[in-house]
Amino acid sequence: MYINSAYLNNSLVDFKDKSRPLIVGSCGTYHLYTRPKLPTHRPRGRLDFQILYIASGKAYFYFNNSKEPTVVTAGHMVVYRPKEPQRYIYYGVDQTEVYWVHFTGGNVKNLLRHYGIKDEMQVINTGTSLEYVRIFKQMIQELQRGQTDYKESLVLLLLQLFILIHRQLSKEQIRKNEYLDREMELAIQYFHSHYNTEINIENYAVSRGMSISWFIRCFKQYTNTTPMQYLVSIRITNAQVLLETTNYNITEIGRIIGYENPLYFSRIFRKQKGISPSEYRKQFNKIYEP
């Protein structure tokens, strides 16, 4: 097992200090080779903040005193806040390599929020990067050597880490938005191409690998209406065109746009337009009759 760690003023005691906006208290790394496991259990948490970076392997975290672990794999960081219970285990069989930093200060909460680390975040998908390792190793060296202005250097290094996390979170958000836009556009195209068939919204969502609730929520965010409301709108708009430009009777028009039951079609049309299909045709013909 490889261990390399360093502590501010060579003190292993955790502390809370708001005299400055940001203070790095300790930093270190563990890499398990032969030791079977390395458990950590702090039922009352710590007084400071902590970020752990899983560089390789995986770790088992028991958040909120859960009996079942959350398996956090390489390429993720875990955030612990003051007085938050901590329990996690590394196993030698996983060849786990972890870097960690403890920090405190009067402006930590605002700094974390500024760099996209929201209050409810516990596990952050940061990806693996040698830049993370470089920053952690440099913080360890700064604490060990204690050279001139090392405390300020530690703050700058930690801010660099925050910036890298923020950039990764921003990329994730962009990818998520691009995926969302693409899926919603595909749904819209599908509805326009198949509006006159029997469309099951739940089956469509499942076919695209989405839960029905997630699909409806995202579709509403994208179009300001639910999938079913959007589908009905397409059908009624096409019904209006047919009522205005053809001599098809109401039953035929209902079937063309996807409603086999003429009474149901009339009821939906009235609900959307305030009048029945036949009344709509009469009004239109009256307006445009020579």
Side-chain angles (χ1 to χ4, degrees), residues 121-203:
M121 284 184 173
Q122 289 184 305
V123 180
I124 306 172
N125 182 9
T126 57
T128 56
S129 172
L130 291 176
E131 272 297 290
Y132 300 141
V133 174
R134 179 193 66 79
I135 290 172
F136 279 105
K137 285 183 176 180
Q138 200 166 341
M139 284 193 288
I140 294 170
Q141 289 179 1
E142 288 287 347
L143 279 165
Q144 289 173 340
R145 293 174 180 174
Q147 295 178 319
T148 304
D149 301 323
Y150 77 99
K151 293 179 181 178
E152 288 80 357
S153 179
L154 285 165
V155 169
L156 292 175
L157 287 166
L158 185 54
L159 288 174
Q160 284 184 40
L161 183 66
F162 290 167
I163 289 169
L164 290 178
I165 294 171
H166 193 203
R167 287 177 178 174
Q168 184 63 29
L169 289 172
S170 298
K171 288 179 184 177
E172 288 293 322
Q173 188 60 41
I174 289 170
R175 283 195 286 267
K176 183 179 178 181
N177 290 341
E178 288 176 346
Y179 166 76
L180 175 63
D181 290 350
R182 183 171 65 254
E183 284 296 335
M184 296 308 106
E185 281 298 324
L186 286 173
I188 287 170
Q189 292 174 20
Y190 182 85
F191 290 162
H192 277 279
S193 299
H194 300 85
Y195 73 89
N196 59 345
T197 64
E198 186 176 347
I199 295 178
N200 184 297
I201 303 299
E202 183 173 359
N203 288 345

Coordinates of all heavy atoms in Angstrom, one line a residue, residues 121-203:
M121 N -25.0 17.7 -4.4 CA -24.1 16.8 -5.1 C -23.2 16.0 -4.2 O -22.6 16.6 -3.3 CB -23.2 17.6 -6.1 CG -23.9 18.0 -7.4 SD -22.7 18.8 -8.5 CE -23.7 19.0 -10.0
Q122 N -23.2 14.7 -4.3 CA -22.3 13.9 -3.6 C -21.2 13.2 -4.5 O -20.0 13.2 -4.1 CB -23.0 12.8 -2.8 CG -23.9 13.3 -1.6 CD -24.5 12.2 -0.9 OE1 -25.3 11.4 -1.4 NE2 -24.3 12.2 0.4
V123 N -21.7 12.7 -5.6 CA -20.8 12.1 -6.6 C -20.8 12.9 -7.9 O -21.8 13.2 -8.4 CB -21.2 10.6 -6.8 CG1 -20.2 10.0 -7.8 CG2 -21.2 9.8 -5.5
I124 N -19.6 13.2 -8.3 CA -19.5 14.0 -9.5 C -18.7 13.2 -10.6 O -17.6 12.7 -10.3 CB -18.7 15.3 -9.3 CG1 -19.4 16.1 -8.1 CG2 -18.7 16.2 -10.5 CD1 -18.6 17.3 -7.7
N125 N -19.3 13.2 -11.8 CA -18.6 12.5 -12.9 C -17.6 13.5 -13.5 O -18.0 14.3 -14.3 CB -19.6 12.0 -13.9 CG -19.0 11.3 -15.1 OD1 -17.8 11.0 -15.1 ND2 -19.8 11.0 -16.1
T126 N -16.4 13.3 -13.2 CA -15.3 14.3 -13.7 C -14.5 13.7 -14.8 O -13.7 14.4 -15.4 CB -14.4 14.6 -12.5 OG1 -13.8 13.5 -12.0 CG2 -15.2 15.4 -11.4
G127 N -14.6 12.4 -15.0 CA -13.6 11.7 -15.9 C -12.3 11.6 -15.3 O -12.0 12.3 -14.3
T128 N -11.4 10.8 -15.9 CA -10.0 10.7 -15.4 C -9.1 11.6 -16.1 O -9.3 11.9 -17.3 CB -9.5 9.2 -15.6 OG1 -9.6 8.9 -17.0 CG2 -10.3 8.3 -14.7
S129 N -8.2 12.2 -15.4 CA -7.3 13.2 -16.0 C -6.0 13.2 -15.2 O -6.0 13.3 -14.0 CB -7.9 14.5 -16.1 OG -7.0 15.5 -16.5
L130 N -4.9 13.3 -16.0 CA -3.6 13.5 -15.3 C -3.5 14.8 -14.6 O -2.7 15.1 -13.7 CB -2.5 13.3 -16.3 CG -2.3 11.8 -16.8 CD1 -1.2 11.8 -17.9 CD2 -1.9 10.9 -15.7
E131 N -4.3 15.8 -15.1 CA -4.3 17.1 -14.5 C -4.8 17.1 -13.1 O -4.3 17.8 -12.2 CB -5.2 18.1 -15.4 CG -4.4 18.8 -16.5 CD -3.3 19.7 -16.0 OE1 -3.6 20.7 -15.3 OE2 -2.1 19.3 -16.2
Y132 N -5.8 16.3 -12.8 CA -6.3 16.1 -11.4 C -5.1 15.6 -10.6 O -4.9 16.1 -9.5 CB -7.4 15.2 -11.4 CG -8.7 15.5 -12.2 CD1 -9.4 14.6 -12.8 CD2 -9.1 16.8 -12.2 CE1 -10.5 14.9 -13.6 CE2 -10.2 17.2 -13.0 CZ -10.9 16.2 -13.6 OH -12.1 16.5 -14.4
V133 N -4.5 14.6 -11.0 CA -3.4 14.0 -10.3 C -2.2 15.0 -10.1 O -1.7 15.1 -8.9 CB -2.8 12.7 -11.0 CG1 -1.6 12.2 -10.3 CG2 -3.9 11.6 -11.1
R134 N -1.9 15.7 -11.1 CA -0.9 16.8 -11.0 C -1.2 17.8 -9.9 O -0.3 18.1 -9.0 CB -0.7 17.5 -12.3 CG 0.4 18.6 -12.2 CD 0.4 19.5 -13.4 NE -0.9 20.3 -13.5 CZ -1.1 21.4 -12.8 NH1 -0.2 21.8 -11.9 NH2 -2.2 22.0 -12.9
I135 N -2.4 18.2 -9.8 CA -2.8 19.2 -8.8 C -2.8 18.6 -7.4 O -2.2 19.3 -6.5 CB -4.3 19.7 -9.2 CG1 -4.2 20.6 -10.4 CG2 -4.8 20.6 -8.0 CD1 -5.6 21.0 -10.9
F136 N -3.3 17.4 -7.3 CA -3.2 16.8 -5.9 C -1.8 16.6 -5.5 O -1.4 16.9 -4.3 CB -4.0 15.5 -5.9 CG -5.5 15.6 -5.8 CD1 -6.3 15.4 -6.9 CD2 -6.0 15.9 -4.6 CE1 -7.7 15.5 -6.8 CE2 -7.4 16.0 -4.4 CZ -8.2 15.8 -5.5
K137 N -0.9 16.1 -6.4 CA 0.5 15.9 -6.0 C 1.2 17.2 -5.6 O 2.0 17.2 -4.7 CB 1.2 15.2 -7.1 CG 0.8 13.7 -7.3 CD 1.6 13.0 -8.4 CE 1.4 11.5 -8.4 NZ 2.1 10.9 -9.5
Q138 N 0.8 18.2 -6.4 CA 1.5 19.5 -6.1 C 1.0 20.1 -4.8 O 1.8 20.7 -4.0 CB 1.2 20.5 -7.3 CG 2.2 21.7 -7.3 CD 2.1 22.4 -8.6 OE1 1.6 21.9 -9.6 NE2 2.6 23.7 -8.6
M139 N -0.3 19.9 -4.4 CA -0.8 20.3 -3.1 C -0.1 19.6 -2.0 O 0.3 20.2 -1.0 CB -2.3 20.2 -3.0 CG -3.1 21.2 -3.8 SD -4.9 21.2 -3.4 CE -5.4 19.7 -4.2
I140 N 0.1 18.3 -2.2 CA 0.9 17.5 -1.2 C 2.3 18.1 -1.0 O 2.7 18.2 0.1 CB 0.9 16.0 -1.6 CG1 -0.5 15.4 -1.6 CG2 1.8 15.2 -0.7 CD1 -0.6 14.0 -2.2
Q141 N 2.9 18.3 -2.1 CA 4.3 18.9 -2.0 C 4.3 20.2 -1.3 O 5.2 20.5 -0.5 CB 4.9 19.0 -3.4 CG 5.2 17.6 -4.1 CD 5.8 17.8 -5.5 OE1 6.0 18.9 -6.0 NE2 6.1 16.7 -6.1
E142 N 3.4 21.1 -1.7 CA 3.3 22.4 -1.1 C 3.2 22.3 0.5 O 3.8 23.0 1.2 CB 2.2 23.3 -1.6 CG 2.4 23.7 -3.1 CD 3.5 24.9 -3.1 OE1 3.8 25.4 -2.1 OE2 3.9 25.2 -4.3
L143 N 2.3 21.4 0.9 CA 2.1 21.2 2.3 C 3.4 20.6 3.0 O 3.7 21.0 4.1 CB 0.9 20.3 2.6 CG -0.5 21.0 2.5 CD1 -1.6 19.9 2.4 CD2 -0.7 21.9 3.8
Q144 N 4.0 19.7 2.3 CA 5.2 19.1 2.9 C 6.4 20.0 3.0 O 7.1 20.0 4.0 CB 5.6 17.8 2.1 CG 4.6 16.7 2.2 CD 4.9 15.5 1.3 OE1 5.5 15.7 0.3 NE2 4.3 14.4 1.6
R145 N 6.6 20.9 2.0 CA 7.7 21.7 1.9 C 7.5 23.0 2.7 O 8.5 23.6 3.3 CB 8.1 22.1 0.5 CG 8.5 20.9 -0.3 CD 8.7 21.2 -1.8 NE 9.2 20.0 -2.5 CZ 9.3 20.0 -3.9 NH1 9.0 21.1 -4.6 NH2 9.7 18.9 -4.5
G146 N 6.3 23.5 2.7 CA 6.0 24.7 3.5 C 6.9 25.9 3.1 O 7.3 26.7 3.9
Q147 N 7.0 26.1 1.8 CA 7.8 27.2 1.3 C 7.1 28.5 1.4 O 5.9 28.6 1.8 CB 8.3 27.0 -0.1 CG 9.2 25.8 -0.3 CD 9.6 25.5 -1.8 OE1 8.7 25.6 -2.6 NE2 10.8 25.2 -2.0
T148 N 7.8 29.6 1.1 CA 7.2 31.0 1.2 C 5.9 31.0 0.4 O 5.8 30.5 -0.8 CB 8.1 32.0 0.6 OG1 9.4 31.9 1.3 CG2 7.6 33.4 0.7
D149 N 4.8 31.6 1.0 CA 3.5 31.8 0.4 C 2.8 30.4 0.0 O 2.0 30.4 -0.9 CB 3.6 32.7 -0.9 CG 4.2 34.0 -0.5 OD1 3.8 34.6 0.5 OD2 4.9 34.6 -1.4
Y150 N 3.2 29.3 0.7 CA 2.6 28.0 0.3 C 1.1 28.0 0.5 O 0.4 27.3 -0.2 CB 3.4 26.9 1.0 CG 3.0 26.7 2.4 CD1 2.1 25.7 2.8 CD2 3.5 27.5 3.4 CE1 1.8 25.5 4.1 CE2 3.2 27.3 4.8 CZ 2.3 26.3 5.1 OH 2.0 26.1 6.4
K151 N 0.6 28.7 1.5 CA -0.8 28.7 1.8 C -1.6 29.3 0.6 O -2.6 28.8 0.2 CB -1.1 29.4 3.1 CG -0.6 28.7 4.3 CD -0.9 29.5 5.6 CE -0.3 28.8 6.8 NZ -0.6 29.6 8.1
E152 N -1.1 30.4 0.1 CA -1.7 31.0 -1.1 C -1.6 30.1 -2.3 O -2.5 30.0 -3.1 CB -1.0 32.4 -1.4 CG -1.4 33.5 -0.4 CD -0.5 33.4 0.9 OE1 0.3 32.4 1.0 OE2 -0.6 34.3 1.8
S153 N -0.4 29.4 -2.4 CA -0.3 28.5 -3.6 C -1.3 27.3 -3.5 O -1.8 26.9 -4.5 CB 1.2 27.9 -3.6 OG 1.3 27.0 -4.6
L154 N -1.5 26.8 -2.3 CA -2.5 25.8 -2.1 C -3.9 26.2 -2.5 O -4.6 25.4 -3.1 CB -2.5 25.4 -0.6 CG -1.3 24.5 -0.1 CD1 -1.3 24.5 1.4 CD2 -1.4 23.1 -0.6
V155 N -4.3 27.4 -2.1 CA -5.6 28.0 -2.5 C -5.7 28.0 -4.1 O -6.7 27.6 -4.6 CB -5.8 29.3 -1.9 CG1 -7.1 30.0 -2.5 CG2 -6.0 29.2 -0.4
L156 N -4.6 28.5 -4.7 CA -4.7 28.6 -6.2 C -4.8 27.2 -6.8 O -5.5 27.0 -7.8 CB -3.4 29.3 -6.7 CG -3.3 30.8 -6.3 CD1 -1.9 31.3 -6.8 CD2 -4.4 31.6 -7.0
L157 N -4.1 26.2 -6.3 CA -4.2 24.9 -6.8 C -5.6 24.3 -6.6 O -6.1 23.7 -7.5 CB -3.1 24.0 -6.1 CG -1.7 24.2 -6.5 CD1 -0.7 23.6 -5.5 CD2 -1.4 23.7 -7.9
L158 N -6.1 24.5 -5.5 CA -7.5 24.0 -5.2 C -8.5 24.7 -6.1 O -9.4 24.1 -6.7 CB -7.9 24.2 -3.8 CG -9.3 23.6 -3.3 CD1 -9.4 22.2 -3.7 CD2 -9.5 23.8 -1.9
L159 N -8.3 26.0 -6.4 CA -9.2 26.7 -7.3 C -9.0 26.1 -8.7 O -10.0 26.1 -9.5 CB -8.9 28.2 -7.3 CG -9.3 29.0 -6.1 CD1 -8.9 30.4 -6.1 CD2 -10.9 28.9 -5.9
Q160 N -7.8 25.8 -9.1 CA -7.6 25.1 -10.4 C -8.4 23.8 -10.5 O -9.0 23.5 -11.5 CB -6.1 24.8 -10.6 CG -5.3 26.0 -11.0 CD -3.8 25.5 -11.2 OE1 -3.6 24.5 -11.9 NE2 -2.9 26.3 -10.8
L161 N -8.4 23.1 -9.4 CA -9.2 21.8 -9.4 C -10.7 22.1 -9.5 O -11.4 21.5 -10.3 CB -9.0 21.1 -8.0 CG -9.7 19.8 -7.9 CD1 -9.1 18.7 -8.9 CD2 -9.6 19.2 -6.5
F162 N -11.2 23.2 -8.8 CA -12.6 23.6 -9.0 C -12.9 23.9 -10.4 O -14.0 23.6 -11.0 CB -12.9 24.8 -8.1 CG -12.9 24.5 -6.6 CD1 -12.9 25.5 -5.7 CD2 -12.9 23.2 -6.1 CE1 -12.9 25.2 -4.3 CE2 -12.9 22.9 -4.8 CZ -12.9 23.9 -3.9
I163 N -12.0 24.7 -11.1 CA -12.2 25.1 -12.5 C -12.3 23.9 -13.4 O -13.2 23.8 -14.3 CB -11.1 26.0 -12.9 CG1 -11.2 27.4 -12.2 CG2 -11.1 26.3 -14.4 CD1 -10.0 28.3 -12.3
L164 N -11.4 22.9 -13.2 CA -11.4 21.7 -14.0 C -12.8 20.9 -13.8 O -13.4 20.4 -14.8 CB -10.3 20.8 -13.7 CG -8.9 21.3 -14.2 CD1 -7.8 20.3 -13.7 CD2 -8.8 21.5 -15.7
I165 N -13.2 20.9 -12.6 CA -14.5 20.2 -12.3 C -15.6 20.9 -13.0 O -16.5 20.3 -13.6 CB -14.8 20.1 -10.8 CG1 -13.7 19.2 -10.1 CG2 -16.2 19.6 -10.5 CD1 -13.8 19.2 -8.6
H166 N -15.6 22.3 -12.9 CA -16.7 23.1 -13.5 C -16.7 22.9 -15.0 O -17.8 22.8 -15.6 CB -16.4 24.6 -13.2 CG -17.6 25.4 -13.5 ND1 -17.5 26.8 -13.7 CD2 -18.9 25.1 -13.6 CE1 -18.7 27.3 -13.9 NE2 -19.6 26.3 -13.9
R167 N -15.5 22.9 -15.7 CA -15.5 22.7 -17.1 C -16.1 21.3 -17.5 O -16.8 21.2 -18.5 CB -14.0 22.8 -17.6 CG -13.5 24.2 -17.6 CD -12.1 24.3 -18.0 NE -11.6 25.7 -18.0 CZ -10.3 26.1 -18.2 NH1 -9.4 25.1 -18.4 NH2 -10.0 27.3 -18.3
Q168 N -15.7 20.3 -16.7 CA -16.3 19.0 -17.0 C -17.8 18.9 -16.8 O -18.5 18.4 -17.6 CB -15.6 17.9 -16.1 CG -16.0 16.5 -16.4 CD -15.7 16.0 -17.7 OE1 -14.7 16.5 -18.3 NE2 -16.4 15.1 -18.3
L169 N -18.3 19.6 -15.8 CA -19.7 19.6 -15.5 C -20.4 20.4 -16.6 O -21.5 20.0 -17.1 CB -20.0 20.3 -14.2 CG -19.7 19.5 -12.9 CD1 -19.8 20.4 -11.7 CD2 -20.5 18.3 -12.8
S170 N -19.8 21.4 -17.1 CA -20.4 22.2 -18.3 C -20.4 21.4 -19.5 O -21.4 21.4 -20.3 CB -19.5 23.5 -18.5 OG -19.5 24.3 -17.4
K171 N -19.4 20.6 -19.8 CA -19.4 19.7 -20.9 C -20.5 18.7 -20.8 O -21.2 18.4 -21.8 CB -18.1 18.9 -21.0 CG -16.9 19.8 -21.5 CD -15.6 19.0 -21.5 CE -14.4 19.9 -21.9 NZ -13.2 19.1 -21.9
E172 N -20.7 18.1 -19.6 CA -21.8 17.1 -19.4 C -23.1 17.8 -19.6 O -24.0 17.1 -20.2 CB -21.7 16.6 -17.9 CG -20.5 15.7 -17.7 CD -20.6 14.4 -18.4 OE1 -21.8 13.8 -18.5 OE2 -19.6 13.9 -18.9
Q173 N -23.3 19.0 -19.2 CA -24.6 19.7 -19.4 C -24.8 19.9 -20.9 O -25.9 19.8 -21.4 CB -24.6 21.0 -18.7 CG -26.0 21.7 -18.7 CD -27.0 20.9 -18.0 OE1 -26.8 20.3 -17.0 NE2 -28.2 20.8 -18.6
I174 N -23.8 20.3 -21.6 CA -23.9 20.5 -23.1 C -24.3 19.2 -23.8 O -25.2 19.2 -24.6 CB -22.6 21.1 -23.7 CG1 -22.4 22.5 -23.2 CG2 -22.6 21.0 -25.2 CD1 -21.0 23.1 -23.5
R175 N -23.6 18.1 -23.4 CA -23.9 16.8 -24.0 C -25.3 16.4 -23.7 O -26.1 15.9 -24.5 CB -22.9 15.8 -23.5 CG -21.6 15.8 -24.2 CD -20.8 14.6 -23.9 NE -20.3 14.5 -22.6 CZ -19.1 14.9 -22.2 NH1 -18.3 15.4 -23.1 NH2 -18.7 14.8 -21.0
K176 N -25.7 16.7 -22.4 CA -27.1 16.3 -22.0 C -28.1 17.1 -22.8 O -29.1 16.6 -23.3 CB -27.3 16.6 -20.5 CG -28.6 16.2 -20.0 CD -28.7 16.5 -18.5 CE -30.1 16.1 -17.9 NZ -30.1 16.4 -16.5
N177 N -27.9 18.4 -23.0 CA -28.8 19.3 -23.7 C -28.8 18.9 -25.2 O -29.9 18.9 -25.8 CB -28.4 20.7 -23.6 CG -28.6 21.3 -22.2 OD1 -29.4 20.7 -21.5 ND2 -27.9 22.4 -21.9
E178 N -27.7 18.5 -25.8 CA -27.7 18.1 -27.2 C -28.4 16.8 -27.4 O -29.2 16.6 -28.3 CB -26.2 17.9 -27.6 CG -25.4 19.2 -27.8 CD -24.0 18.9 -28.2 OE1 -23.5 17.8 -28.0 OE2 -23.3 19.9 -28.6
Y179 N -28.3 15.9 -26.4 CA -29.0 14.6 -26.5 C -30.5 14.9 -26.3 O -31.4 14.3 -27.1 CB -28.6 13.7 -25.3 CG -29.5 12.5 -25.1 CD1 -29.5 11.4 -25.9 CD2 -30.4 12.5 -24.0 CE1 -30.4 10.3 -25.7 CE2 -31.2 11.5 -23.7 CZ -31.2 10.4 -24.6 OH -32.1 9.3 -24.4
L180 N -30.9 15.8 -25.4 CA -32.3 16.1 -25.2 C -32.9 16.7 -26.4 O -34.0 16.3 -26.8 CB -32.4 17.0 -24.0 CG -33.8 17.6 -23.7 CD1 -34.7 16.4 -23.3 CD2 -33.7 18.6 -22.5
D181 N -32.2 17.7 -27.0 CA -32.7 18.4 -28.2 C -32.9 17.4 -29.3 O -33.9 17.4 -30.0 CB -31.8 19.5 -28.6 CG -31.7 20.7 -27.7 OD1 -32.6 20.7 -26.8 OD2 -30.9 21.5 -27.8
R182 N -31.9 16.5 -29.5 CA -32.0 15.5 -30.6 C -33.2 14.6 -30.4 O -34.0 14.3 -31.3 CB -30.7 14.7 -30.7 CG -30.7 13.7 -31.8 CD -29.3 13.1 -32.0 NE -28.9 12.3 -30.8 CZ -28.0 12.6 -29.9 NH1 -27.4 13.8 -30.0 NH2 -27.8 11.8 -28.9
E183 N -33.4 14.1 -29.2 CA -34.5 13.2 -28.9 C -35.9 13.8 -29.1 O -36.8 13.3 -29.6 CB -34.4 12.6 -27.5 CG -33.3 11.5 -27.3 CD -33.6 10.3 -28.2 OE1 -34.8 10.0 -28.5 OE2 -32.7 9.6 -28.5
M184 N -36.0 15.1 -28.6 CA -37.3 15.8 -28.7 C -37.6 16.1 -30.2 O -38.7 16.0 -30.6 CB -37.3 17.1 -27.9 CG -37.1 16.8 -26.4 SD -38.3 15.6 -25.7 CE -37.3 14.2 -25.4
E185 N -36.6 16.4 -31.0 CA -36.8 16.7 -32.4 C -37.2 15.4 -33.1 O -38.1 15.4 -34.0 CB -35.5 17.3 -33.1 CG -35.3 18.7 -32.8 CD -36.4 19.6 -33.4 OE1 -37.0 19.2 -34.5 OE2 -36.8 20.6 -32.7
L186 N -36.6 14.3 -32.7 CA -37.0 13.0 -33.3 C -38.5 12.7 -33.0 O -39.2 12.1 -33.8 CB -36.1 11.9 -32.8 CG -34.7 11.9 -33.4 CD1 -33.8 10.8 -32.7 CD2 -34.7 11.6 -34.9
A187 N -38.9 13.0 -31.7 CA -40.2 12.7 -31.3 C -41.2 13.6 -32.1 O -42.3 13.1 -32.6 CB -40.4 13.0 -29.8
I188 N -40.9 14.8 -32.3 CA -41.7 15.7 -33.0 C -41.9 15.2 -34.5 O -43.0 15.2 -35.0 CB -41.2 17.2 -33.0 CG1 -41.4 17.8 -31.6 CG2 -41.8 18.0 -34.1 CD1 -40.6 19.1 -31.4
Q189 N -40.8 14.8 -35.1 CA -40.8 14.3 -36.5 C -41.7 13.1 -36.5 O -42.5 12.9 -37.5 CB -39.4 14.0 -37.0 CG -38.5 15.2 -37.2 CD -37.1 14.9 -37.5 OE1 -36.8 13.7 -37.9 NE2 -36.2 15.8 -37.3
Y190 N -41.5 12.2 -35.5 CA -42.3 11.0 -35.5 C -43.8 11.3 -35.4 O -44.6 10.7 -36.1 CB -41.9 10.1 -34.3 CG -42.6 8.8 -34.3 CD1 -42.2 7.7 -35.0 CD2 -43.7 8.6 -33.5 CE1 -42.8 6.5 -35.0 CE2 -44.4 7.4 -33.4 CZ -43.9 6.3 -34.2 OH -44.6 5.1 -34.1
F191 N -44.2 12.2 -34.5 CA -45.6 12.5 -34.3 C -46.2 13.1 -35.6 O -47.3 12.8 -36.0 CB -45.7 13.5 -33.2 CG -45.5 12.9 -31.8 CD1 -45.2 13.8 -30.8 CD2 -45.5 11.6 -31.6 CE1 -44.9 13.2 -29.5 CE2 -45.2 11.0 -30.4 CZ -44.9 11.9 -29.3
H192 N -45.4 14.0 -36.3 CA -45.9 14.6 -37.6 C -46.0 13.5 -38.7 O -46.9 13.6 -39.5 CB -45.0 15.7 -38.0 CG -45.2 17.0 -37.3 ND1 -46.2 17.9 -37.7 CD2 -44.6 17.6 -36.3 CE1 -46.2 18.9 -36.9 NE2 -45.2 18.8 -36.0
S193 N -45.2 12.5 -38.7 CA -45.2 11.5 -39.7 C -46.3 10.4 -39.4 O -46.8 9.8 -40.4 CB -43.9 10.8 -39.9 OG -42.9 11.7 -40.2
H194 N -46.6 10.2 -38.2 CA -47.5 9.1 -37.8 C -48.7 9.6 -37.0 O -49.4 8.8 -36.3 CB -46.7 8.1 -37.0 CG -45.6 7.5 -37.7 ND1 -44.3 8.1 -37.7 CD2 -45.5 6.3 -38.4 CE1 -43.5 7.3 -38.4 NE2 -44.1 6.2 -38.8
Y195 N -49.1 10.8 -37.1 CA -50.1 11.4 -36.2 C -51.5 10.7 -36.5 O -52.4 10.6 -35.6 CB -50.3 12.9 -36.5 CG -50.9 13.2 -37.8 CD1 -52.3 13.4 -37.9 CD2 -50.2 13.4 -38.9 CE1 -52.9 13.7 -39.2 CE2 -50.7 13.8 -40.1 CZ -52.1 13.9 -40.3 OH -52.6 14.2 -41.5
N196 N -51.7 10.1 -37.7 CA -53.0 9.5 -38.0 C -53.0 8.0 -37.7 O -53.9 7.3 -38.1 CB -53.3 9.7 -39.5 CG -52.2 9.1 -40.4 OD1 -51.1 8.8 -40.0 ND2 -52.6 9.0 -41.7
T197 N -52.0 7.5 -37.0 CA -52.0 6.2 -36.5 C -52.2 6.1 -35.0 O -52.1 7.2 -34.3 CB -50.7 5.5 -36.9 OG1 -49.6 6.1 -36.2 CG2 -50.4 5.5 -38.4
E198 N -52.4 5.0 -34.5 CA -52.5 4.9 -33.0 C -51.2 4.9 -32.3 O -50.4 3.9 -32.3 CB -53.3 3.6 -32.7 CG -53.6 3.5 -31.2 CD -54.4 2.2 -30.9 OE1 -54.9 1.6 -31.8 OE2 -54.5 1.9 -29.7
I199 N -50.8 6.0 -31.7 CA -49.5 6.2 -31.1 C -49.7 6.0 -29.6 O -50.5 6.7 -29.0 CB -48.9 7.6 -31.4 CG1 -48.7 7.7 -32.9 CG2 -47.7 7.9 -30.6 CD1 -48.1 9.1 -33.3
N200 N -48.9 5.1 -29.0 CA -48.8 4.9 -27.6 C -47.6 5.7 -27.1 O -46.5 5.3 -27.4 CB -48.8 3.4 -27.3 CG -48.8 3.2 -25.8 OD1 -47.9 3.6 -25.0 ND2 -49.9 2.5 -25.4
I201 N -47.8 6.7 -26.3 CA -46.7 7.6 -25.8 C -45.7 6.7 -25.0 O -44.5 6.9 -25.1 CB -47.2 8.7 -25.0 CG1 -48.2 9.6 -25.8 CG2 -46.1 9.6 -24.5 CD1 -47.6 10.2 -27.1
E202 N -46.2 5.9 -24.1 CA -45.4 5.1 -23.3 C -44.5 4.1 -24.1 O -43.3 4.0 -23.9 CB -46.2 4.3 -22.3 CG -45.3 3.5 -21.3 CD -46.1 2.8 -20.2 OE1 -47.4 3.0 -20.2 OE2 -45.5 2.1 -19.4
N203 N -45.1 3.5 -25.1 CA -44.3 2.6 -26.0 C -43.3 3.3 -26.8 O -42.1 2.8 -27.0 CB -45.3 1.9 -27.0 CG -46.1 0.8 -26.3 OD1 -45.8 0.4 -25.1 ND2 -47.2 0.4 -26.9

